[in-house]
Amino acid sequence: MLFRSEEALQILAQIEKAFSAAAATQPAPAANGAAAPATAPAQVSLPIDLELLRLVLLQHANQTPAFDAALQRITAGIRQDIAAGHPQARVSLAWLLVGLDRQGAEAGELMDALNRDASPEAQQVAREAMAQRVRGWLALRAGQMAQARELLQPLAQTDPFASLGMALSRTEASEKDAREQALQQTIRQAPVSLAALLASRALLLGNDQPQATEAGRALSVAMDRWQGWMTSPGQRPM
């Protein structure tokens, strides 16, 4: 089974929980009893991997204006953190860009700037696993598969995105079985994650399975409905 439909719903529940937490921080109703204006889901700030998930969903649903607006809002906020001197923000923006396969040159420049920063905080961030993940995916997007595997392999047991990157680096025809096994391993490693969602899509789109299972078709239906759900988070997608 590629990806159980209930697992897809658990991924949705992660975002719904984040939306609910953000809504709880909205201003209290005005003194005259009028309700405070609702915060649209596209304006709610989330942790970077959830932001990436939301952008992937918008991208998949071909919601280009909403995608562009959300990406601009997110990157503007991260750029403010970079300007304020926070090294981790460089990694966050680089990961967002490389995860979406956009503006790889800028992502590389962000990581180069991090490496040039001699401050102790920046050097610590540069040594962390997240930075290594980004460097691995930069190599992957550039077609440097051997380098990508060298960077991602040490992280693959604990980082599902590193595991996914290892799988996607298997592009030769002779590596077809290894690629499929690695994608399946990513799903087993972290079934409730964006990495697992992308791995299951890669299996289906790459025809690594003869045909979609019922679970695979259920996942496709869920993904098609996610954009509508995100604009009305109280509704169930399935």
Side-chain angles (χ1 to χ4, degrees):
M1 180 177 286
L2 286 180
F3 199 97
R4 296 194 300 273
S5 58
E6 60 267 27
E7 291 171 345
L9 288 175
Q10 284 179 290
I11 294 175
L12 290 174
Q14 291 182 11
I15 301 183
E16 187 170 8
K17 182 178 180 180
F19 284 158
S20 298
T25 65
Q26 292 186 60
N32 60 7
T39 300
Q43 298 302 315
V44 176
S45 295
L46 304 174
I48 192 65
D49 277 351
L50 284 179
E51 292 282 21
L52 181 58
L53 173 52
R54 183 164 58 191
L55 287 167
V56 167
L57 297 178
L58 289 169
Q59 197 173 44
H60 172 78
N62 295 320
Q63 297 293 320
T64 303
F67 173 88
D68 289 343
L71 181 60
Q72 182 177 7
R73 174 187 58 79
I74 296 164
T75 56
I78 299 175
R79 290 182 200 283
Q80 288 180 354
D81 289 339
I82 293 173
H86 299 296
Q88 185 62 51
R90 289 196 181 104
V91 179
S92 294
L93 183 54
W95 172 237
L96 192 66
L97 296 175
V98 76
L100 293 169
D101 199 11
R102 294 169 66 98
Q103 300 169 300
E106 182 182 359
E109 290 167 2
L110 287 163
M111 297 305 293
D112 289 343
L114 178 67
N115 292 335
R116 291 193 301 269
D117 190 333
S119 69
E121 182 183 3
Q123 291 303 301
Q124 176 62 36
V125 170
R127 290 192 295 268
E128 291 175 354
M130 182 67 173
Q132 185 164 334
R133 178 212 283 182
V134 173
R135 287 191 287 267
W137 272 77
L138 278 168
L140 179 70
R141 296 301 196 196
Q144 300 166 352
M145 301 310 179
Q147 183 181 358
R149 287 193 288 271
E150 181 180 347
L151 289 164
L152 295 173
Q153 194 278 330
L155 309 176
Q157 294 300 313
T158 56
D159 182 346
F161 277 108
S163 176
L164 175 62
M166 289 285 291
L168 296 180
S169 73
R170 306 293 180 182
T171 57
E172 300 295 331
S174 61
E175 298 177 305
K176 184 176 185 295
D177 289 345
R179 175 187 172 93
E180 179 179 342
Q181 291 171 10
L183 289 169
Q184 294 280 14
Q185 174 57 31
T186 299
I187 296 168
R188 290 192 296 271
Q189 178 181 347
V192 184
S193 69
L194 175 57
L197 175 61
L198 296 177
S200 63
R201 293 292 293 178
L203 282 167
L204 289 173
L205 296 176
N207 295 318
D208 288 330
Q209 296 290 320
Q211 65 183 77
T213 63
E214 287 300 323
R217 281 189 284 270
L219 176 60
S220 294
V221 170
M223 290 184 72
D224 288 341
R225 295 180 181 176
W226 275 351
Q227 166 57 19
W229 173 82
M230 285 192 298
T231 60
S232 303
Q235 298 178 7
R236 298 295 291 177
M238 300 177 59

